Amino acid sequence: MSAPVEIRNSAASNSFAIIAPFIGAAVAGVLAFRALSSDTARGPVLLLIVFAVGCLGWGLIKASSGFDSGVQVVLDSQGFRDKRAGDVLVPWETVRSVGLVHGNHGGPTLVNFELTGEMPEAIKYSNANALNLMLPGGGNIVHMEMSSLDISEGEMMAAIRRLAPGVKVGR
């Protein structure tokens, strides 16, 4: 039996994701303050304030999850479990294929797990799966974002090949 692979957040890759919302909040806040002090139209000011507060909230959420040094993803001989997407075990017997998808223009790399049936409810309604809920036809693919994890694409695919020899692993 192969040893499980425990994957944690990568501190280096999360730095910009944590700082960026605070920069957005600061810029929107300064623009709102300047607009208020110059007595311009109130409509854009309200939108800037709402945007600044939203960015601040998003930054706090990213900061709390970004400094979480606990295990985020576990791959073992039984299946995989992603704490960010429902924290439910998906058995390898229900996985048809696994492949990497690289984001355009430096976007995040995703590992796509194509399932033989519907995905578990805990994953279906998790924040990490919000895109699948909005797009038609994505009901049996679990997307795992890799850019915030401390494992390379090659190591991830090698671990899946080793732990799930019956699953088709593509690039």
Side-chain angles (χ1 to χ4, degrees):
M1 180 184 273
S2 294
V5 177
E6 295 183 343
I7 306 166
R8 301 177 189 288
N9 278 333
S10 169
S13 67
N14 280 334
S15 300
F16 183 72
I18 293 169
I19 294 170
F22 291 114
I23 292 171
V27 169
V30 167
L31 290 174
F33 181 72
R34 287 187 65 195
L36 280 174
S37 64
S38 67
D39 289 330
T40 59
R42 296 286 185 229
V45 173
L46 179 62
L47 289 176
L48 284 170
I49 291 170
V50 169
F51 181 75
V53 170
C55 282
L56 186 61
W58 182 250
L60 292 173
I61 290 170
K62 291 299 286 182
S64 67
S65 66
F67 293 114
D68 181 2
S69 61
V71 174
Q72 300 300 311
V73 176
V74 176
L75 305 171
D76 62 19
S77 60
Q78 301 300 309
F80 70 92
R81 177 185 304 267
D82 189 345
K83 178 181 173 186
R84 305 163 303 168
D87 200 21
V88 62
L89 178 69
V90 177
W92 292 122
E93 295 83 38
T94 65
V95 177
R96 177 176 293 133
S97 65
V98 178
L100 287 173
V101 176
H102 297 279
N104 294 336
H105 308 291
T109 298
L110 300 174
V111 179
N112 287 344
F113 296 88
E114 182 185 7
L115 305 181
T116 57
E118 287 291 316
M119 68 177 69
E121 294 291 316
I123 295 174
K124 185 183 289 186
Y125 297 111
S126 70
N127 291 339
N129 195 46
L131 188 60
N132 262 5
L133 294 174
M134 293 183 265
L135 297 175
N140 69 336
I141 297 177
V142 177
H143 305 286
M144 181 186 294
E145 183 269 325
M146 281 196 57
S147 63
S148 63
L149 299 175
D150 68 350
I151 189 170
S152 71
E153 297 169 7
E155 292 170 330
M156 173 72 90
M157 299 316 257
I160 293 170
R161 282 186 186 96
R162 178 175 50 86
L163 294 166
V167 174
K168 178 184 169 196
V169 178
R171 182 89 180 119

